[in-house]
Amino acid sequence: EFILTLKNFYSKKYNIPSSKCYLLGYSNGGYMTQKIAFEHPEQFQSFVSVVSTISKNLSQKKPKSESNLMFIFGTKDPIIPYK
């Protein structure tokens, strides 16, 4: 909820529509980004999850609605494998 509160505060303060808001998360933040993409897709235009595979929790759920979600991985990352 913190991320959504922050986004809503600045969207109202600077009159920024959701169609101009993007969310990017790296590592654990990538998992958070995926969760928000699944549960609140209307809040952002697009989502980017960097070095974080789709979590087992989310892989078994259906998103609330369609959203733009991009995944970025490193092919030589020993912690979060590409495949």
Side-chain angles (χ1 to χ4, degrees):
E1 296 302 314
F2 173 75
I3 297 295
L4 296 177
T5 301
L6 200 62
K7 181 258 181 190
N8 290 331
F9 172 81
Y10 284 105
S11 290
K12 287 177 186 169
K13 183 174 181 175
Y14 296 107
N15 196 28
I16 304 168
S18 291
S19 63
K20 299 288 183 180
C21 294
Y22 302 85
L23 185 62
L24 179 143
Y26 179 86
S27 192
N28 282 336
Y31 294 114
M32 176 206 57
T33 297
Q34 293 171 36
K35 185 172 195 259
I36 293 172
F38 269 62
E39 296 176 0
H40 303 282
E42 73 288 348
Q43 292 288 322
F44 296 89
Q45 172 66 30
S46 298
F47 303 86
V48 180
S49 181
V50 182
V51 296
S52 43
T53 56
I54 193 159
S55 69
K56 283 188 180 184
N57 251 359
L58 288 181
S59 69
Q60 297 171 0
K61 294 182 181 180
K62 186 173 181 169
K64 192 174 179 182
S65 65
E66 287 187 11
S67 63
N68 299 308
L69 177 57
M70 177 178 165
F71 289 88
I72 300 174
F73 300 97
T75 56
K76 295 184 180 182
D77 186 339
I79 309 298
I80 307 291
Y82 171 70
K83 293 182 180 185

mmCIF file of all heavy atoms in Angstrom, residues 9-41:
data_model
loop_
_atom_site.group_PDB
_atom_site.id
_atom_site.type_symbol
_atom_site.label_atom_id
_atom_site.label_comp_id
_atom_site.label_asym_id
_atom_site.label_seq_id
_atom_site.Cartn_x
_atom_site.Cartn_y
_atom_site.Cartn_z
ATOM 1 N N PHE A 9 -0.280 10.257 -4.147
ATOM 2 C CA PHE A 9 0.058 11.571 -3.607
ATOM 3 C C PHE A 9 0.707 12.443 -4.692
ATOM 4 O O PHE A 9 0.285 13.573 -4.938
ATOM 5 C CB PHE A 9 1.000 11.434 -2.405
ATOM 6 C CG PHE A 9 1.531 12.757 -1.914
ATOM 7 C CD1 PHE A 9 0.755 13.565 -1.092
ATOM 8 C CD2 PHE A 9 2.800 13.188 -2.276
ATOM 9 C CE1 PHE A 9 1.236 14.787 -0.647
ATOM 10 C CE2 PHE A 9 3.289 14.410 -1.845
ATOM 11 C CZ PHE A 9 2.504 15.213 -1.027
ATOM 12 N N TYR A 10 1.741 11.912 -5.344
ATOM 13 C CA TYR A 10 2.447 12.691 -6.355
ATOM 14 C C TYR A 10 1.634 12.863 -7.635
ATOM 15 O O TYR A 10 1.754 13.883 -8.326
ATOM 16 C CB TYR A 10 3.828 12.099 -6.643
ATOM 17 C CG TYR A 10 4.792 12.420 -5.537
ATOM 18 C CD1 TYR A 10 5.181 11.464 -4.616
ATOM 19 C CD2 TYR A 10 5.280 13.715 -5.381
ATOM 20 C CE1 TYR A 10 6.037 11.783 -3.573
ATOM 21 C CE2 TYR A 10 6.133 14.050 -4.345
ATOM 22 C CZ TYR A 10 6.508 13.081 -3.444
ATOM 23 O OH TYR A 10 7.350 13.401 -2.418
ATOM 24 N N SER A 11 0.795 11.893 -7.962
ATOM 25 C CA SER A 11 -0.070 12.039 -9.136
ATOM 26 C C SER A 11 -1.029 13.209 -8.948
ATOM 27 O O SER A 11 -1.251 13.999 -9.869
ATOM 28 C CB SER A 11 -0.870 10.765 -9.377
ATOM 29 O OG SER A 11 -0.030 9.738 -9.819
ATOM 30 N N LYS A 12 -1.594 13.308 -7.749
ATOM 31 C CA LYS A 12 -2.509 14.424 -7.464
ATOM 32 C C LYS A 12 -1.758 15.742 -7.363
ATOM 33 O O LYS A 12 -2.196 16.756 -7.915
ATOM 34 C CB LYS A 12 -3.274 14.152 -6.167
ATOM 35 C CG LYS A 12 -4.327 13.084 -6.311
ATOM 36 C CD LYS A 12 -5.012 12.793 -5.001
ATOM 37 C CE LYS A 12 -5.948 11.601 -5.183
ATOM 38 N NZ LYS A 12 -6.451 11.093 -3.917
ATOM 39 N N LYS A 13 -0.631 15.741 -6.670
ATOM 40 C CA LYS A 13 0.134 16.973 -6.463
ATOM 41 C C LYS A 13 0.596 17.589 -7.788
ATOM 42 O O LYS A 13 0.558 18.808 -7.962
ATOM 43 C CB LYS A 13 1.338 16.697 -5.568
ATOM 44 C CG LYS A 13 2.147 17.939 -5.237
ATOM 45 C CD LYS A 13 3.242 17.658 -4.229
ATOM 46 C CE LYS A 13 3.994 18.954 -3.923
ATOM 47 N NZ LYS A 13 4.971 18.775 -2.874
ATOM 48 N N TYR A 14 1.042 16.758 -8.718
ATOM 49 C CA TYR A 14 1.581 17.246 -9.981
ATOM 50 C C TYR A 14 0.675 16.966 -11.178
ATOM 51 O O TYR A 14 1.086 17.126 -12.326
ATOM 52 C CB TYR A 14 2.977 16.662 -10.218
ATOM 53 C CG TYR A 14 3.969 17.121 -9.186
ATOM 54 C CD1 TYR A 14 4.428 16.262 -8.199
ATOM 55 C CD2 TYR A 14 4.426 18.440 -9.180
ATOM 56 C CE1 TYR A 14 5.336 16.688 -7.233
ATOM 57 C CE2 TYR A 14 5.330 18.879 -8.222
ATOM 58 C CZ TYR A 14 5.774 17.998 -7.253
ATOM 59 O OH TYR A 14 6.660 18.434 -6.300
ATOM 60 N N ASN A 15 -0.557 16.536 -10.905
ATOM 61 C CA ASN A 15 -1.548 16.284 -11.949
ATOM 62 C C ASN A 15 -1.016 15.327 -13.024
ATOM 63 O O ASN A 15 -1.023 15.627 -14.220
ATOM 64 C CB ASN A 15 -2.017 17.599 -12.583
ATOM 65 C CG ASN A 15 -3.289 17.425 -13.377
ATOM 66 O OD1 ASN A 15 -4.093 16.551 -13.075
ATOM 67 N ND2 ASN A 15 -3.471 18.240 -14.394
ATOM 68 N N ILE A 16 -0.540 14.179 -12.585
ATOM 69 C CA ILE A 16 0.017 13.163 -13.489
ATOM 70 C C ILE A 16 -0.988 12.018 -13.618
ATOM 71 O O ILE A 16 -1.310 11.363 -12.620
ATOM 72 C CB ILE A 16 1.355 12.615 -12.955
ATOM 73 C CG1 ILE A 16 2.353 13.751 -12.734
ATOM 74 C CG2 ILE A 16 1.917 11.566 -13.909
ATOM 75 C CD1 ILE A 16 3.580 13.339 -11.956
ATOM 76 N N PRO A 17 -1.483 11.739 -14.825
ATOM 77 C CA PRO A 17 -2.426 10.627 -14.990
ATOM 78 C C PRO A 17 -1.727 9.271 -14.874
ATOM 79 O O PRO A 17 -0.522 9.158 -15.124
ATOM 80 C CB PRO A 17 -2.976 10.842 -16.403
ATOM 81 C CG PRO A 17 -1.907 11.601 -17.113
ATOM 82 C CD PRO A 17 -1.216 12.444 -16.069
ATOM 83 N N SER A 18 -2.479 8.253 -14.506
ATOM 84 C CA SER A 18 -1.917 6.898 -14.392
ATOM 85 C C SER A 18 -1.306 6.423 -15.699
ATOM 86 O O SER A 18 -0.379 5.619 -15.706
ATOM 87 C CB SER A 18 -2.990 5.908 -13.935
ATOM 88 O OG SER A 18 -3.352 6.171 -12.601
ATOM 89 N N SER A 19 -1.806 6.948 -16.818
ATOM 90 C CA SER A 19 -1.273 6.547 -18.129
ATOM 91 C C SER A 19 0.158 7.046 -18.338
ATOM 92 O O SER A 19 0.824 6.650 -19.286
ATOM 93 C CB SER A 19 -2.166 7.064 -19.251
ATOM 94 O OG SER A 19 -2.177 8.484 -19.247
ATOM 95 N N LYS A 20 0.651 7.890 -17.444
ATOM 96 C CA LYS A 20 2.024 8.400 -17.525
ATOM 97 C C LYS A 20 2.891 7.886 -16.377
ATOM 98 O O LYS A 20 4.007 8.338 -16.181
ATOM 99 C CB LYS A 20 2.025 9.937 -17.500
ATOM 100 C CG LYS A 20 1.287 10.575 -18.640
ATOM 101 C CD LYS A 20 2.052 10.425 -19.926
ATOM 102 C CE LYS A 20 1.310 11.146 -21.044
ATOM 103 N NZ LYS A 20 1.972 11.042 -22.303
ATOM 104 N N CYS A 21 2.379 6.937 -15.614
ATOM 105 C CA CYS A 21 3.115 6.387 -14.458
ATOM 106 C C CYS A 21 3.598 4.972 -14.762
ATOM 107 O O CYS A 21 2.850 4.155 -15.308
ATOM 108 C CB CYS A 21 2.231 6.359 -13.218
ATOM 109 S SG CYS A 21 1.777 7.983 -12.620
ATOM 110 N N TYR A 22 4.833 4.697 -14.383
ATOM 111 C CA TYR A 22 5.447 3.393 -14.617
ATOM 112 C C TYR A 22 6.059 2.919 -13.304
ATOM 113 O O TYR A 22 6.513 3.721 -12.500
ATOM 114 C CB TYR A 22 6.547 3.500 -15.683
ATOM 115 C CG TYR A 22 6.010 4.040 -16.982
ATOM 116 C CD1 TYR A 22 5.902 5.415 -17.201
ATOM 117 C CD2 TYR A 22 5.586 3.179 -17.980
ATOM 118 C CE1 TYR A 22 5.388 5.913 -18.387
ATOM 119 C CE2 TYR A 22 5.076 3.675 -19.170
ATOM 120 C CZ TYR A 22 4.972 5.038 -19.366
ATOM 121 O OH TYR A 22 4.458 5.524 -20.531
ATOM 122 N N LEU A 23 6.091 1.614 -13.106
ATOM 123 C CA LEU A 23 6.681 1.060 -11.886
ATOM 124 C C LEU A 23 7.765 0.061 -12.262
ATOM 125 O O LEU A 23 7.532 -0.852 -13.062
ATOM 126 C CB LEU A 23 5.616 0.384 -11.026
ATOM 127 C CG LEU A 23 6.077 -0.133 -9.675
ATOM 128 C CD1 LEU A 23 6.574 1.014 -8.781
ATOM 129 C CD2 LEU A 23 4.942 -0.871 -8.975
ATOM 130 N N LEU A 24 8.953 0.252 -11.708
ATOM 131 C CA LEU A 24 10.084 -0.642 -11.947
ATOM 132 C C LEU A 24 10.606 -1.113 -10.599
ATOM 133 O O LEU A 24 10.722 -0.321 -9.669
ATOM 134 C CB LEU A 24 11.188 0.103 -12.698
ATOM 135 C CG LEU A 24 12.441 -0.718 -12.986
ATOM 136 C CD1 LEU A 24 12.998 -0.354 -14.356
ATOM 137 C CD2 LEU A 24 13.508 -0.517 -11.940
ATOM 138 N N GLY A 25 10.883 -2.404 -10.499
ATOM 139 C CA GLY A 25 11.461 -2.950 -9.280
ATOM 140 C C GLY A 25 12.631 -3.849 -9.602
ATOM 141 O O GLY A 25 12.628 -4.579 -10.600
ATOM 142 N N TYR A 26 13.646 -3.785 -8.760
ATOM 143 C CA TYR A 26 14.861 -4.581 -8.934
ATOM 144 C C TYR A 26 14.952 -5.602 -7.805
ATOM 145 O O TYR A 26 14.792 -5.254 -6.631
ATOM 146 C CB TYR A 26 16.079 -3.638 -8.915
ATOM 147 C CG TYR A 26 17.399 -4.350 -9.068
ATOM 148 C CD1 TYR A 26 17.901 -4.638 -10.322
ATOM 149 C CD2 TYR A 26 18.133 -4.734 -7.960
ATOM 150 C CE1 TYR A 26 19.116 -5.286 -10.478
ATOM 151 C CE2 TYR A 26 19.344 -5.385 -8.095
ATOM 152 C CZ TYR A 26 19.829 -5.663 -9.349
ATOM 153 O OH TYR A 26 21.020 -6.307 -9.487
ATOM 154 N N SER A 27 15.199 -6.865 -8.140
ATOM 155 C CA SER A 27 15.348 -7.948 -7.169
ATOM 156 C C SER A 27 14.068 -8.090 -6.346
ATOM 157 O O SER A 27 13.013 -8.318 -6.926
ATOM 158 C CB SER A 27 16.592 -7.707 -6.300
ATOM 159 O OG SER A 27 16.905 -8.871 -5.562
ATOM 160 N N ASN A 28 14.126 -7.939 -5.036
ATOM 161 C CA ASN A 28 12.899 -8.053 -4.233
ATOM 162 C C ASN A 28 11.864 -7.018 -4.645
ATOM 163 O O ASN A 28 10.661 -7.268 -4.585
ATOM 164 C CB ASN A 28 13.205 -7.918 -2.737
ATOM 165 C CG ASN A 28 13.777 -9.196 -2.161
ATOM 166 O OD1 ASN A 28 13.554 -10.274 -2.687
ATOM 167 N ND2 ASN A 28 14.528 -9.075 -1.092
ATOM 168 N N GLY A 29 12.337 -5.847 -5.071
ATOM 169 C CA GLY A 29 11.421 -4.827 -5.581
ATOM 170 C C GLY A 29 10.721 -5.274 -6.848
ATOM 171 O O GLY A 29 9.604 -4.845 -7.146
ATOM 172 N N GLY A 30 11.369 -6.158 -7.603
ATOM 173 C CA GLY A 30 10.744 -6.736 -8.792
ATOM 174 C C GLY A 30 9.561 -7.610 -8.430
ATOM 175 O O GLY A 30 8.530 -7.596 -9.102
ATOM 176 N N TYR A 31 9.709 -8.367 -7.342
ATOM 177 C CA TYR A 31 8.590 -9.190 -6.871
ATOM 178 C C TYR A 31 7.441 -8.300 -6.403
ATOM 179 O O TYR A 31 6.270 -8.589 -6.649
ATOM 180 C CB TYR A 31 9.038 -10.126 -5.740
ATOM 181 C CG TYR A 31 10.029 -11.168 -6.210
ATOM 182 C CD1 TYR A 31 11.335 -11.169 -5.755
ATOM 183 C CD2 TYR A 31 9.659 -12.154 -7.123
ATOM 184 C CE1 TYR A 31 12.251 -12.115 -6.181
ATOM 185 C CE2 TYR A 31 10.567 -13.110 -7.570
ATOM 186 C CZ TYR A 31 11.867 -13.081 -7.085
ATOM 187 O OH TYR A 31 12.754 -14.017 -7.524
ATOM 188 N N MET A 32 7.764 -7.195 -5.740
ATOM 189 C CA MET A 32 6.751 -6.251 -5.305
ATOM 190 C C MET A 32 6.048 -5.647 -6.530
ATOM 191 O O MET A 32 4.822 -5.525 -6.553
ATOM 192 C CB MET A 32 7.382 -5.139 -4.477
ATOM 193 C CG MET A 32 6.400 -4.059 -4.075
ATOM 194 S SD MET A 32 7.191 -2.473 -3.779
ATOM 195 C CE MET A 32 8.005 -2.153 -5.328
ATOM 196 N N THR A 33 6.824 -5.312 -7.556
ATOM 197 C CA THR A 33 6.260 -4.757 -8.782
ATOM 198 C C THR A 33 5.292 -5.745 -9.421
ATOM 199 O O THR A 33 4.200 -5.369 -9.854
ATOM 200 C CB THR A 33 7.392 -4.391 -9.767
ATOM 201 O OG1 THR A 33 8.187 -3.364 -9.173
ATOM 202 C CG2 THR A 33 6.858 -3.929 -11.101
ATOM 203 N N GLN A 34 5.666 -7.010 -9.461
ATOM 204 C CA GLN A 34 4.785 -8.040 -10.027
ATOM 205 C C GLN A 34 3.474 -8.122 -9.245
ATOM 206 O O GLN A 34 2.392 -8.223 -9.832
ATOM 207 C CB GLN A 34 5.468 -9.395 -9.985
ATOM 208 C CG GLN A 34 6.661 -9.524 -10.889
ATOM 209 C CD GLN A 34 7.404 -10.814 -10.637
ATOM 210 O OE1 GLN A 34 6.809 -11.847 -10.345
ATOM 211 N NE2 GLN A 34 8.717 -10.768 -10.744
ATOM 212 N N LYS A 35 3.580 -8.077 -7.923
ATOM 213 C CA LYS A 35 2.378 -8.169 -7.076
ATOM 214 C C LYS A 35 1.434 -7.006 -7.356
ATOM 215 O O LYS A 35 0.225 -7.187 -7.497
ATOM 216 C CB LYS A 35 2.780 -8.188 -5.600
ATOM 217 C CG LYS A 35 1.622 -8.412 -4.660
ATOM 218 C CD LYS A 35 2.114 -8.620 -3.243
ATOM 219 C CE LYS A 35 1.027 -9.192 -2.399
ATOM 220 N NZ LYS A 35 0.321 -8.392 -1.552
ATOM 221 N N ILE A 36 1.990 -5.803 -7.455
ATOM 222 C CA ILE A 36 1.165 -4.636 -7.746
ATOM 223 C C ILE A 36 0.579 -4.744 -9.161
ATOM 224 O O ILE A 36 -0.586 -4.405 -9.385
ATOM 225 C CB ILE A 36 1.966 -3.330 -7.556
ATOM 226 C CG1 ILE A 36 2.296 -3.143 -6.068
ATOM 227 C CG2 ILE A 36 1.189 -2.128 -8.088
ATOM 228 C CD1 ILE A 36 3.231 -1.997 -5.756
ATOM 229 N N ALA A 37 1.358 -5.244 -10.115
ATOM 230 C CA ALA A 37 0.856 -5.429 -11.483
ATOM 231 C C ALA A 37 -0.330 -6.388 -11.506
ATOM 232 O O ALA A 37 -1.296 -6.170 -12.240
ATOM 233 C CB ALA A 37 1.971 -5.945 -12.389
ATOM 234 N N PHE A 38 -0.280 -7.427 -10.694
ATOM 235 C CA PHE A 38 -1.369 -8.410 -10.641
ATOM 236 C C PHE A 38 -2.591 -7.862 -9.920
ATOM 237 O O PHE A 38 -3.714 -8.109 -10.328
ATOM 238 C CB PHE A 38 -0.896 -9.678 -9.925
ATOM 239 C CG PHE A 38 -0.308 -10.719 -10.841
ATOM 240 C CD1 PHE A 38 0.825 -10.456 -11.584
ATOM 241 C CD2 PHE A 38 -0.886 -11.971 -10.953
ATOM 242 C CE1 PHE A 38 1.377 -11.406 -12.422
ATOM 243 C CE2 PHE A 38 -0.352 -12.939 -11.790
ATOM 244 C CZ PHE A 38 0.790 -12.653 -12.534
ATOM 245 N N GLU A 39 -2.368 -7.122 -8.837
ATOM 246 C CA GLU A 39 -3.470 -6.690 -7.976
ATOM 247 C C GLU A 39 -4.016 -5.296 -8.300
ATOM 248 O O GLU A 39 -5.179 -5.008 -8.024
ATOM 249 C CB GLU A 39 -3.036 -6.744 -6.512
ATOM 250 C CG GLU A 39 -2.735 -8.166 -6.056
ATOM 251 C CD GLU A 39 -2.212 -8.239 -4.632
ATOM 252 O OE1 GLU A 39 -2.065 -7.187 -3.974
ATOM 253 O OE2 GLU A 39 -1.953 -9.374 -4.173
ATOM 254 N N HIS A 40 -3.189 -4.420 -8.883
ATOM 255 C CA HIS A 40 -3.607 -3.044 -9.164
ATOM 256 C C HIS A 40 -3.100 -2.582 -10.533
ATOM 257 O O HIS A 40 -2.437 -1.551 -10.644
ATOM 258 C CB HIS A 40 -3.078 -2.093 -8.080
ATOM 259 C CG HIS A 40 -3.497 -2.461 -6.703
ATOM 260 N ND1 HIS A 40 -4.756 -2.198 -6.210
ATOM 261 C CD2 HIS A 40 -2.837 -3.094 -5.708
ATOM 262 C CE1 HIS A 40 -4.849 -2.636 -4.976
ATOM 263 N NE2 HIS A 40 -3.697 -3.196 -4.654
ATOM 264 N N PRO A 41 -3.422 -3.311 -11.591
ATOM 265 C CA PRO A 41 -2.884 -2.980 -12.913
ATOM 266 C C PRO A 41 -3.326 -1.605 -13.426
ATOM 267 O O PRO A 41 -2.635 -0.994 -14.237
ATOM 268 C CB PRO A 41 -3.399 -4.101 -13.811
ATOM 269 C CG PRO A 41 -4.600 -4.616 -13.106
ATOM 270 C CD PRO A 41 -4.322 -4.448 -11.642
#
